[in-house]
Amino acid sequence: MLHTLGQEELERSLFPIGEQTKDETRAHARRLGLPVAGKPDSQELCFVPRADGGAFLEERAPHLVREGEMVDADGLVVGTHAGAHRFTIGQRRGLGVSLGERAYVVDVDAAANRVVVGPGELLARKGLLAESVHWVGTPPAGPIEAEAQIRYNAPAVPSVVEPLPGDDVRVTFRAPQRAIAPGQSVVFYAADELLGGGTIARSLR
């Protein structure tokens, strides 16, 4: 989340437990008698009841709840779903279809309410386009070498980050990456220095 901050905010920020592990922080919380010491780790959408993002959207946007097609990479219909909002790229469990091999969600076409499933190798992408990009310091004037991270639990990987008109960028990975999900953040680093980040708009084959 720090990629959303600028120098004005960061110069007034302190991170007193930034060097501690989570276990060390929990131990201090127990020692101090804080009730959150044993609180379970947050997963999925932590601010949503029961972390059920699908139910949250269905309650507030019922127009999303409509049956659609599940197709394979060739466009052959292999099943149906009750709402494309329930699926994310890279998802393997709960697909409700059998392709005779391990299947993943490889694309979600929200406009067409269509979910594309297929083998894991179809998840690999050479890059992505990101929008609403914010730079912590001075924006680069042209393409730069950086490390790009697309998930909190994924490693940052060598990439070329190219500024585009407006606040968009094109990221080209030095090696293809899997399960790039639009709507998630992509963050750029130079070693341990945070450069900036933005929202993934779409992946590039």
Side-chain angles (χ1 to χ4, degrees):
M1 295 303 297
L2 292 180
H3 78 268
T4 64
L5 304 180
Q7 294 301 308
E8 184 177 352
E9 296 87 0
L10 288 170
E11 70 178 359
R12 293 175 170 83
S13 301
L14 296 173
F15 303 96
I17 60 173
E19 298 299 321
Q20 292 179 187
T21 66
K22 186 179 293 186
D23 288 340
E24 290 170 339
T25 303
R26 287 187 182 278
H28 282 300
R30 281 192 296 271
R31 179 176 58 80
L32 296 171
L34 300 179
V36 294
K39 183 179 178 181
D41 291 346
S42 61
Q43 307 231 348
E44 303 295 339
L45 294 175
C46 59
F47 58 87
V48 170
R50 302 177 304 281
D52 190 340
F56 179 80
L57 286 172
E58 288 159 10
E59 179 182 337
R60 287 161 176 77
H63 62 281
L64 294 175
V65 187
R66 53 195 179 97
E67 188 174 283
E69 296 177 342
M70 299 189 76
V71 302
D72 64 14
D74 296 320
L76 178 67
V77 176
V78 294
T80 59
H81 63 77
H85 65 287
R86 284 279 185 177
F87 299 88
T88 187
I89 293 175
Q91 178 178 335
R92 183 170 66 86
R93 293 190 172 91
L95 303 187
V97 297
S98 176
L99 302 183
E101 59 182 336
R102 182 171 289 183
Y104 299 81
V105 174
V106 297
D107 197 12
V108 178
D109 185 342
N113 196 33
R114 183 181 298 114
V115 177
V116 183
V117 295
E121 56 264 27
L122 295 182
L123 289 169
R125 298 288 187 272
K126 70 175 185 179
L128 61 85
L129 294 178
E131 57 192 6
S132 302
V133 172
H134 179 265
W135 298 95
V136 175
T138 303
I144 60 170
E145 293 280 347
E147 294 182 317
Q149 186 170 355
I150 58 173
R151 287 183 301 279
Y152 81 96
N153 61 349
V157 297
S159 307
V160 175
V161 180
E162 178 186 359
L164 300 175
D167 55 2
D168 297 348
V169 301
R170 178 187 290 109
V171 179
T172 303
F173 305 120
R174 291 301 188 190
Q177 299 299 304
R178 288 169 52 114
I180 299 170
Q184 300 280 13
S185 294
V186 56
V187 183
F188 319 124
Y189 296 91
D192 60 354
E193 179 185 357
L194 174 61
L195 302 177
T199 302
I200 298 172
R202 62 184 177 90
S203 62
L204 300 174
R205 293 185 181 274

